[in-house]
Amino acid sequence: MERREVSRLVVISNRVQSPKASSAGNQGGLAVALLAALREKGGVWFGWSGETVGAFTGAIGLEQADGVATATVDLEPQDVDEYYNGYANRSLWPLFHNRIDLTRFERDFEGGYLRVNRRFATTVRPLIGEGDLVWVHDYHLIPLGRELRRLGLTNRLGFFLHIPWPPSQILMSLPSHEPLVRSLFEYDVVGFHTPDWLDAFLHHVTRHLGAVVGEDGAVTLGDRAIRAIVAPIGIDAGEFETAARSDPARFARDRLHMSATGRSIIVGVDRLDYSKGLPERFASYERFLLRNPDLQGLVLMLQIAPPSREKVDTYRAIRAELDELSGRINGEFADIDWVPIRYVNKGYPRDELAGIYRAARVALVTPLRDGMNLVAKEYVAAQDPDDPGVLILSIFAGAAAQLRDALLVNPYSADEVADAIALALGMPREERVRRWRSLIANIRREDVFWWRDRFIGALEPR
Ligand code: GDG
């Protein structure tokens, strides 16, 4: 057998992004970066196909496109209910976003989560060669490392959490939180977006599990020592800056400008998710309109919010709440030739999205809690360097740790956000340019390739 000079990369995540989507321009930055790494190093991306079958078989669907191999597996409907819609999106997601009020704890969910993690491990195990680096993504697959170790895997194993790490008192309301957290010690490297999420993790494992942080930064629990690192994800800034100058972007921007008839556009783009602070955002905008009657009729807010996770009741509830709220605000303020909020429940191709960002004088990125938030970075990258818009950013988005020159706000305070909107709309060009230059410098430097290399650099054997 041919000896491998360099280690291959095996990426494992809940869902796999098909390399075919990249030619259609539908790929997010994460997929672009991981596919590029897979292309360079060779290897495979493994995950759920998104399809269901009557009974789990473990049969792998292999695809090879554009120099990258993807391997997918179908799940049973019960797996999807308990693992994906259940434990991942009704237990872990709300809890890790501090929404204990929306969190459901069910033994069946946990059972399904562990079962699917075991199924993933057994299915992907034969695809992993000696010396391959294995990089597991996100909250769906926390115990996967442990399941792979149980099957005898000794490779370097890394885990990256894309969402926040919760405070201990919240985490501890999760039944079986302890084995879940302990399972992270089966990895070699565990990564978070920000120092805050890392600190919360370190606090928990040292205070509640007796782990010890060594001088070299290694975190030891029992006979396992791991490295816990900060690696903030970025975007493919170059690609997005180019997209913003493309024909489809220009077309979308012109269409929006024409329909706005000279009004200043305030944009929001979010998956329809309760963590994104959309009702609070609408209420802040309403406060701004009330406080600035002279500006009524001169601004409009465009909120793009493609629905997500519609099988989960809390997502249906937030959708109904926003329908009601946007309708009420529009009813209250609209005139024969003006509607204050355009609320759109559909997604747009990436290049058109770049044009929409560029058309907007202000972006409102006001999540109540967010691991990072890539929309903030995309908005900045899409701006015209000579006449850029202003980013209003929640202090509770991971991105606030890097984007210090945004207008940072507390999203729970309608007054504070309303003030920031007024400030942004009146901000002189010189200040907009100064802030934008500082933001774009960070976004270009700490891009998605920098993030990937930082993580893989920590994972590679030394
Ligand atoms: C999780 C974490 C972390 C949205 N609408 C459209 C569209 N989008 C794209 C955006 C952006 C992506 O979806 C959303 O990314 P975010 O980072 O804002 O949020 P999550 O989906 O919650 O992602 C988050 C991220 O993982 C990465 O680690 O930053 O904190 O929660 O790229 O552009 N894309 C298109 N049309 C739309 O209408 N094409």
Side-chain angles (χ1 to χ4, degrees):
M1 210 172 112
E2 201 182 307
R3 241 188 83 229
R4 275 191 214 111
E5 294 298 323
V6 284
S7 49
R8 297 187 325 159
L9 181 64
V10 178
V11 172
I12 308 176
S13 61
N14 171 54
R15 288 293 299 273
V16 171
Q17 303 273 332
S18 164
K20 284 178 185 153
S22 63
S23 45
N26 288 330
Q27 207 110 62
L30 171 66
V32 171
L34 292 176
L35 290 168
L38 287 163
R39 220 169 280 131
E40 275 160 36
K41 286 185 166 289
V44 60
W45 188 343
F46 175 83
W48 174 35
S49 60
E51 303 293 324
T52 51
V53 278
F56 182 79
T57 64
I60 294 176
L62 270 178
E63 254 189 75
Q64 188 90 30
D66 202 13
V68 176
T70 56
T72 53
V73 66
D74 300 341
L75 293 175
E76 291 175 14
Q78 192 184 347
D79 291 339
V80 179
D81 282 350
E82 294 173 350
Y83 147 82
Y84 181 72
N85 292 319
Y87 203 72
N89 288 328
R90 280 188 172 96
S91 305
L92 294 181
W93 176 274
L95 193 76
F96 278 47
H97 288 86
N98 285 3
R99 291 302 301 270
I100 202 164
D101 56 322
L102 301 182
T103 304
R104 272 185 51 195
F105 305 111
E106 303 279 347
R107 286 234 167 105
D108 287 351
F109 290 176
E110 189 187 328
Y113 182 72
L114 295 174
R115 181 178 67 247
V116 170
N117 271 268
R118 274 195 300 274
R119 286 181 164 172
F120 261 49
T122 356
T123 314
V124 74
R125 177 70 187 88
L127 303 179
I128 305 173
E130 201 186 327
D132 286 353
L133 300 174
V134 181
W135 188 3
V136 178
H137 289 263
D138 230 359
Y139 61 102
H140 315 84
L141 300 174
I142 295 172
L144 184 65
R146 182 182 62 206
E147 297 306 324
L148 285 167
R149 294 290 186 220
R150 280 185 179 151
L151 297 175
L153 198 85
T154 55
N155 298 49
R156 297 279 294 172
L157 267 178
F159 176 82
F160 190 83
L161 185 69
H162 289 264
I163 64 176
W165 185 269
S168 286
Q169 292 296 318
I170 290 193
L171 180 62
M172 286 158 70
S173 60
L174 181 72
S176 312
H177 62 89
E178 187 169 333
L180 188 76
V181 179
R182 282 184 184 276
S183 73
L184 282 171
F185 282 81
E186 299 295 340
Y187 294 96
D188 296 291
V189 178
V190 175
F192 302 92
H193 284 310
T194 69
D196 279 352
W197 312 148
L198 173 62
D199 286 351
F201 170 75
L202 292 177
H203 169 87
H204 186 78
V205 299
T206 52
R207 172 75 69 93
H208 297 280
L209 299 182
V212 176
V213 182
E215 273 177 21
D216 58 352
V219 191
T220 304
L221 181 64
D223 60 357
R224 290 287 309 166
I226 64 171
R227 289 192 64 203
I229 64 166
V230 172
I233 197 169
I235 61 167
D236 182 350
E239 177 258 349
F240 214 78
E241 288 179 58
T242 308
R245 295 189 298 265
S246 67
D247 286 342
R250 206 167 298 136
F251 185 69
R253 192 192 56 194
D254 290 349
R255 204 175 133 204
L256 188 51
H257 268 154
M258 262 178 325
S259 72
T261 54
R263 297 179 173 110
S264 297
I265 299 162
I266 302 170
V267 77
V269 176
D270 307 77
R271 264 189 319 100
L272 218 175
D273 191 297
Y274 48 80
S275 67
K276 303 293 182 184
L278 295 172
E280 291 79 1
R281 186 180 306 169
F282 284 7
S284 301
Y285 177 62
E286 180 185 27
R287 183 75 52 94
F288 160 80
L289 293 174
L290 282 169
R291 289 267 198 77
N292 299 276
D294 51 321
L295 293 177
Q296 287 178 23
L298 299 180
V299 293
L300 69 86
M301 174 166 164
L302 170 64
Q303 176 62 54
I304 294 176
S308 68
R309 303 175 191 168
E310 288 176 283
K311 296 249 157 60
V312 180
D313 47 358
T314 43
Y315 285 77
R316 289 195 296 270
I318 181 83
R319 185 165 183 178
E321 183 182 354
L322 289 167
D323 286 347
E324 201 269 332
L325 192 56
S326 58
R328 187 180 61 69
I329 296 172
N330 279 340
E332 187 182 342
F333 292 94
D335 213 331
I336 49 169
D337 58 352
W338 176 61
V339 176
I341 303 181
R342 289 186 195 171
Y343 174 48
V344 184
N345 286 134
K346 69 172 193 175
Y348 291 84
R350 270 183 89 66
D351 42 12
E352 287 184 29
L353 193 62
I356 293 169
Y357 287 139
R358 200 174 173 109
R361 172 43 49 100
V362 179
L364 273 175
V365 181
T366 54
L368 306 178
R369 200 168 163 84
D370 214 333
M372 169 56 68
N373 195 296
L374 295 176
V375 168
K377 297 184 174 187
E378 292 165 0
Y379 174 74
V380 173
Q383 295 308 298
D384 174 354
D386 293 325
D387 189 19
V390 181
L391 172 64
I392 297 178
L393 179 62
S394 162
I395 54 173
F396 301 117
Q402 291 166 295
L403 305 182
R404 305 304 300 168
D405 270 305
L407 288 183
L408 296 176
V409 294
N410 172 2
Y412 293 96
S413 165
D415 287 326
E416 204 175 308
V417 178
D419 287 351
I421 295 173
L423 187 65
L425 288 170
M427 190 178 284
R429 199 180 72 95
E430 301 76 65
E431 185 176 349
R432 285 189 277 117
V433 170
R434 181 187 64 72
R435 286 178 184 270
W436 179 80
R437 284 194 182 143
S438 148
L439 296 172
I440 194 70
N442 177 283
I443 290 165
R444 285 179 184 149
R445 190 175 60 245
E446 298 178 357
D447 69 1
V448 72
F449 303 104
W450 174 88
W451 164 75
R452 175 196 76 194
D453 294 345
R454 192 176 162 96
F455 191 91
I456 293 178
L459 187 58
E460 269 165 346
R462 40 210 59 233

